[in-house]
PDB file of all heavy atoms in Angstrom:
ATOM      1  N   GLY A  53      -5.408  -0.216  25.704  1.00 97.00           N
ATOM      2  CA  GLY A  53      -4.677  -1.422  25.650  1.00 97.00           C
ATOM      3  C   GLY A  53      -5.374  -2.593  25.155  1.00 97.00           C
ATOM      4  O   GLY A  53      -4.841  -3.633  24.765  1.00 97.00           O
ATOM      5  N   SER A  54      -6.716  -2.499  25.020  1.00 98.00           N
ATOM      6  CA  SER A  54      -7.505  -3.572  24.462  1.00 98.00           C
ATOM      7  C   SER A  54      -7.257  -3.701  22.979  1.00 98.00           C
ATOM      8  O   SER A  54      -7.213  -2.621  22.303  1.00 98.00           O
ATOM      9  CB  SER A  54      -9.026  -3.388  24.750  1.00 98.00           C
ATOM     10  OG  SER A  54      -9.268  -3.302  26.122  1.00 98.00           O
ATOM     11  N   TYR A  55      -7.057  -4.898  22.493  1.00 98.00           N
ATOM     12  CA  TYR A  55      -6.749  -5.034  21.018  1.00 98.00           C
ATOM     13  C   TYR A  55      -7.417  -6.237  20.522  1.00 98.00           C
ATOM     14  O   TYR A  55      -7.750  -7.252  21.260  1.00 98.00           O
ATOM     15  CB  TYR A  55      -5.283  -5.036  20.827  1.00 98.00           C
ATOM     16  CG  TYR A  55      -4.574  -6.360  21.178  1.00 98.00           C
ATOM     17  CD1 TYR A  55      -4.454  -7.427  20.282  1.00 98.00           C
ATOM     18  CD2 TYR A  55      -3.940  -6.457  22.397  1.00 98.00           C
ATOM     19  CE1 TYR A  55      -3.821  -8.594  20.706  1.00 98.00           C
ATOM     20  CE2 TYR A  55      -3.337  -7.641  22.873  1.00 98.00           C
ATOM     21  CZ  TYR A  55      -3.272  -8.670  22.013  1.00 98.00           C
ATOM     22  OH  TYR A  55      -2.672  -9.838  22.416  1.00 98.00           O
ATOM     23  N   ARG A  56      -7.598  -6.287  19.189  1.00 97.00           N
ATOM     24  CA  ARG A  56      -8.003  -7.483  18.484  1.00 97.00           C
ATOM     25  C   ARG A  56      -7.234  -7.573  17.196  1.00 97.00           C
ATOM     26  O   ARG A  56      -6.816  -6.473  16.651  1.00 97.00           O
ATOM     27  CB  ARG A  56      -9.483  -7.424  18.085  1.00 97.00           C
ATOM     28  CG  ARG A  56     -10.423  -7.722  19.252  1.00 97.00           C
ATOM     29  CD  ARG A  56     -11.829  -8.167  18.739  1.00 97.00           C
ATOM     30  NE  ARG A  56     -11.774  -9.370  17.931  1.00 97.00           N
ATOM     31  CZ  ARG A  56     -11.742 -10.638  18.586  1.00 97.00           C
ATOM     32  NH1 ARG A  56     -11.772 -10.765  19.847  1.00 97.00           N
ATOM     33  NH2 ARG A  56     -11.671 -11.657  17.795  1.00 97.00           N
ATOM     34  N   THR A  57      -6.943  -8.723  16.723  1.00 97.00           N
ATOM     35  CA  THR A  57      -6.241  -8.947  15.425  1.00 97.00           C
ATOM     36  C   THR A  57      -7.288  -9.412  14.447  1.00 97.00           C
ATOM     37  O   THR A  57      -8.229 -10.179  14.765  1.00 97.00           O
ATOM     38  CB  THR A  57      -5.151  -9.921  15.559  1.00 97.00           C
ATOM     39  OG1 THR A  57      -5.608 -11.177  16.032  1.00 97.00           O
ATOM     40  CG2 THR A  57      -4.023  -9.403  16.459  1.00 97.00           C
ATOM     41  N   THR A  58      -7.153  -8.971  13.221  1.00 95.00           N
ATOM     42  CA  THR A  58      -8.040  -9.353  12.141  1.00 95.00           C
ATOM     43  C   THR A  58      -7.270  -9.287  10.808  1.00 95.00           C
ATOM     44  O   THR A  58      -6.075  -9.216  10.808  1.00 95.00           O
ATOM     45  CB  THR A  58      -9.296  -8.412  12.183  1.00 95.00           C
ATOM     46  OG1 THR A  58     -10.193  -8.889  11.154  1.00 95.00           O
ATOM     47  CG2 THR A  58      -8.917  -6.981  11.880  1.00 95.00           C
ATOM     48  N   HIS A  59      -8.038  -9.323   9.760  1.00 95.00           N
ATOM     49  CA  HIS A  59      -7.406  -9.169   8.418  1.00 95.00           C
ATOM     50  C   HIS A  59      -8.221  -8.225   7.546  1.00 95.00           C
ATOM     51  O   HIS A  59      -9.429  -8.106   7.625  1.00 95.00           O
ATOM     52  CB  HIS A  59      -7.349 -10.601   7.682  1.00 95.00           C
ATOM     53  CG  HIS A  59      -6.250 -11.413   8.205  1.00 95.00           C
ATOM     54  ND1 HIS A  59      -6.419 -12.224   9.284  1.00 95.00           N
ATOM     55  CD2 HIS A  59      -5.023 -11.751   7.733  1.00 95.00           C
ATOM     56  CE1 HIS A  59      -5.309 -12.930   9.536  1.00 95.00           C
ATOM     57  NE2 HIS A  59      -4.459 -12.662   8.536  1.00 95.00           N
ATOM     58  N   VAL A  60      -7.530  -7.559   6.676  1.00 96.00           N
ATOM     59  CA  VAL A  60      -8.130  -6.783   5.637  1.00 96.00           C
ATOM     60  C   VAL A  60      -7.734  -7.412   4.334  1.00 96.00           C
ATOM     61  O   VAL A  60      -6.540  -7.278   3.931  1.00 96.00           O
ATOM     62  CB  VAL A  60      -7.742  -5.280   5.711  1.00 96.00           C
ATOM     63  CG1 VAL A  60      -8.214  -4.545   4.423  1.00 96.00           C
ATOM     64  CG2 VAL A  60      -8.234  -4.610   6.917  1.00 96.00           C
TER      65      VAL A  60
END
Side-chain angles (χ1 to χ4, degrees):
S54 301
Y55 73 89
R56 284 199 64 80
T57 57
T58 184
H59 283 81
V60 172

